[in-house]
Amino acid sequence: MKDTLLNAMNRFKEQQHATHAPHRSNGSQAAAPPTVIYSRTRSVVISDEVLQRHRIQTGRESNQFSDAYKILRTQVIHRLRENNWNVLGITSPKEGEGKTLTSINLAIALAAEPTQTVLLVDADLRAPRLHEEFGLESSEGLTEFLLDDRTIENMLVSPGLGRLILLPGGRGTDHSSDVLTSPRMSALGKELKHRYASRVVIFDLPPVLGQADVLAFTPQLDALLLVVEEGKTTESELQQAMQILKGSVPILGTVLNKAGRDRLSLSKLKRANAGDVKQRG
Ligand SMILES: Nc1ncnc2c1ncn2[C@@H]1O[C@H](COP(=O)(O)OP(=O)(O)OP(=O)(O)O)[C@@H](O)[C@H]1O
Ligand SMILES: [Mg+2]
């Protein structure tokens, strides 16, 4: 299965290179950009126990799991810079394949760079759970900003991990794809992209299959990172995801998550699909 999945990943990559189309096209109906003020960001202290229990890598660890995120960081930052991109979405074909953990650990690894600020946004609005990974209570977030006309600045959280700032998802909504394509979301997307061009914005997204959210959200993104889980994501699921995303947004790369230790080496994966990263389970 794994070799087939790798072949499918490679085909996906080739298709993306051949077909990605211009995006950010629905700006005509956008509202005036909301100004996001960062001085009101709330600082919280996350205990080591919470970080460890949720497999969050602070960068102080020295193990292969943590190292793989540093490799991923290097590859991502290189590709963002060479394309002048700063807004990245992270998704996968289906549920539970590691989107949120990849988003968090990549965001922390990027924010550990002395000059790099990172905003990590929970855009999985049907089931916002990013805050839980940091042991935080549910609080107002993107849903309240989009639906209740609230301002963003009081929602931002600094978890004390480098220059990382979190924007939680808030209470969530069953109408997430409508909300994510609203003029208010479009205006926020522009504000986040352009106000501080050196900041990387990472959106933790829902799965591609079974709901319209990711495709609907692609106009807000410069690129997508696609997580696949070894032994779980099937070739057919990857193909379906490819088909849905085709032509909508460039794919920065794929992350093979929960990869078996001895079955496939990182170098082999990199040879097969240059630049993509295998993340151990
Ligand atoms: N490489 C890994 N090794 C071990 N556990 C992992 C790895 N990646 C993710 N997990 C665990 O798998 C579970 C699902 O991961 P995560 O929440 O990141 O997936 P998701 O794709 O965001 O799920 P959802 O579709 O529900 O949003 C979590 O308990 C997470 O800690
Ligand atoms: Mg998730």
Side-chain angles (χ1 to χ4, degrees):
M1 198 289 288
K2 180 158 32 57
D3 282 338
T4 325
L5 185 58
L6 270 182
N7 290 339
M9 287 161 79
N10 283 334
R11 279 198 297 283
F12 186 20
K13 195 168 178 178
E14 281 159 20
Q15 277 183 20
Q16 285 296 324
H17 278 297
T19 61
H20 74 71
H23 51 290
R24 297 183 173 282
S25 54
N26 66 347
S28 56
Q29 47 165 3
T35 301
V36 180
I37 301 164
Y38 289 89
S39 54
R40 295 187 209 153
T41 301
R42 181 164 54 99
S43 291
V44 294
V45 177
I46 316 290
S47 73
D48 287 346
E49 187 275 322
V50 167
L51 295 171
Q52 280 163 20
R53 182 152 43 90
H54 293 117
R55 301 183 175 86
I56 295 177
Q57 305 298 299
T58 63
R60 296 188 294 269
E61 308 82 0
S62 179
N63 58 51
Q64 288 176 310
F65 190 61
S66 179
D67 289 349
Y69 289 111
K70 290 178 188 156
I71 295 169
L72 181 63
R73 167 193 53 198
T74 306
Q75 294 174 336
V76 165
I77 205 74
H78 180 69
R79 290 184 199 179
L80 291 179
R81 284 184 185 152
E82 72 185 4
N83 290 288
N84 211 14
W85 290 335
N86 65 331
V87 183
L88 180 65
I90 299 190
T91 189
S92 73
K94 297 205 79 180
E95 291 80 12
E97 292 166 317
K99 297 174 286 297
T100 298
L101 188 65
T102 303
S103 301
I104 292 171
N105 284 335
L106 173 61
I108 294 172
L110 285 167
E113 299 274 305
T115 57
Q116 187 64 67
T117 50
V118 180
L119 176 65
L120 173 58
V121 182
D122 189 350
D124 190 349
L125 294 191
R126 282 179 202 220
R129 283 206 326 268
L130 180 70
H131 60 283
E132 289 176 12
E133 301 299 316
F134 289 92
L136 302 172
E137 297 290 312
S138 171
S139 60
E140 288 194 343
L142 186 59
T143 311
E144 286 74 16
F145 168 79
L146 294 171
L147 289 178
D148 304 342
D149 246 7
R150 309 301 287 254
T151 53
I152 288 274
E153 43 266 24
N154 297 324
M155 302 171 181
L156 298 173
V157 178
S158 165
L161 298 161
R163 293 161 180 266
L164 174 66
I165 296 174
L166 307 175
L167 174 57
R171 70 175 183 275
T173 169
D174 290 340
H175 306 287
S176 49
S177 54
D178 295 337
V179 169
L180 289 172
T181 48
S182 64
R184 198 161 159 83
M185 183 65 237
S186 179
L188 177 64
K190 285 193 174 60
E191 157 83 14
L192 294 178
K193 175 165 176 63
H194 295 294
R195 181 158 289 264
Y196 302 102
S198 62
R199 182 183 46 215
V200 172
V201 183
I202 294 180
F203 286 97
D204 174 26
L205 294 167
V208 178
L209 301 182
Q211 50 183 287
D213 294 27
V214 175
L215 187 61
F217 198 69
T218 55
Q220 308 307 329
L221 303 172
D222 289 326
L224 263 179
L225 193 62
L226 194 73
V227 177
V228 296
E229 181 180 335
E230 187 180 299
K232 183 175 174 197
T233 310
T234 65
E235 188 191 0
S236 143
E237 288 161 354
L238 184 56
Q239 297 278 13
Q240 287 173 52
M242 288 178 200
Q243 209 46 46
I244 288 170
L245 294 170
K246 195 173 172 182
S248 65
V249 66
I251 304 295
L252 191 100
T254 43
V255 175
L256 185 62
N257 194 32
K258 303 189 195 175
R261 280 163 200 276
D262 302 319
R263 285 178 287 172
L264 184 70
S265 71
L266 179 59
S267 57
K268 186 173 169 191
L269 176 64
K270 284 171 82 176
R271 275 201 305 279
N273 197 6
D276 292 335
V277 162
K278 171 192 177 196
Q279 184 52 274
R280 293 179 187 283

